Amino acid sequence: MPSSTHPAGSAFPIPSAESRSRITVAPSPAARAVVIGVSALIGAAVGWFARLLAGTFLVHVPVIGTAIEIVERVDGWFGGTGHLLVALACAGAGALVASSILGSLTTISVDEHGIYVHDDGETRRWARSQVHRIVLEPDSVGDGILSLRDERDADLQRAELDVSVARVREALESRGWSVEVQPRR
């Protein structure tokens, strides 16, 4: 994405006209923050209550047994605050896992000239001349599948959407793309 720097030499780039016209449909920052926060809380709870698992069958599961053993050893550190350290470490692990999952979600960016599909950590650009038909297939939840098709009606790319079909359709149509929506599956 071409950009220029601020005339005064500021580190803040000035978006090009092309990037200003691009719309990105992705989970909102608020939704991302909630997912990361909830995952951190779940991780903290697992870390806090890990001692309760010490007498269960889970000590025989290789990875979990090792984690429980570590928790038992750390628990008495620093006058008992080791327990808190374990909970905080598990909270951080939960947040990292959620952040990693969020980074792999499918997002769609669109402008007048192309469609950018970020799926499984890879971004692919499709020019208007390549895409002859766009089909959205919603599911019962509201997200669904985006299918970009060529002149022979063969799929260029199919991507499971992690965002609302309605939002994707609105973004595409606002940039002059024709969209066909299939009936709900």
Side-chain angles (χ1 to χ4, degrees):
M1 171 171 45
S3 65
S4 60
T5 55
H6 189 272
S10 169
F12 299 105
I14 298 173
S16 67
E18 178 183 317
S19 68
R20 283 191 300 261
S21 70
R22 188 174 304 153
I23 296 174
T24 299
V25 183
S28 71
R32 290 175 180 269
V34 167
V35 169
I36 290 172
V38 168
S39 297
L41 287 174
I42 291 170
V46 167
W48 188 259
F49 294 110
R51 284 189 309 179
L52 300 176
L53 302 174
T56 68
F57 70 94
L58 292 174
V59 296
H60 301 294
V61 177
V63 174
I64 297 173
T66 303
I68 291 170
E69 184 180 322
I70 291 170
V71 168
E72 288 177 331
R73 288 183 183 175
V74 172
D75 193 32
W77 289 2
F78 309 111
T81 58
H83 189 71
L84 179 62
L85 293 174
V86 168
L88 290 174
C90 288
L96 284 174
V97 167
S99 181
S100 173
I101 291 169
L102 288 170
S104 69
L105 293 179
T106 301
T107 59
I108 308 297
S109 295
V110 60
D111 60 25
E112 292 79 8
H113 308 289
I115 298 172
Y116 305 79
V117 180
H118 178 79
D119 188 25
D120 291 330
E122 179 184 344
T123 301
R124 296 181 71 184
R125 180 187 184 277
W126 300 100
R128 188 175 286 273
S129 62
Q130 294 174 293
V131 179
H132 290 269
R133 188 169 163 222
I134 300 172
V135 179
L136 291 171
E137 303 169 20
D139 61 16
S140 59
V141 181
D143 50 0
I145 296 175
L146 168 71
S147 177
L148 304 176
R149 298 182 179 169
D150 65 12
E151 69 278 352
R152 295 181 319 263
D153 205 33
D155 281 330
L156 294 168
Q157 182 173 4
R158 285 181 66 83
E160 287 193 34
L161 296 173
D162 296 309
V163 292
S164 157
V165 164
R167 287 180 53 206
V168 172
R169 180 182 186 179
E170 180 182 314
L172 287 163
E173 289 178 344
S174 74
R175 293 301 179 251
W177 293 84
S178 177
V179 179
E180 177 184 329
V181 179
Q182 298 287 327
R184 263 181 213 264
R185 319 181 237 149

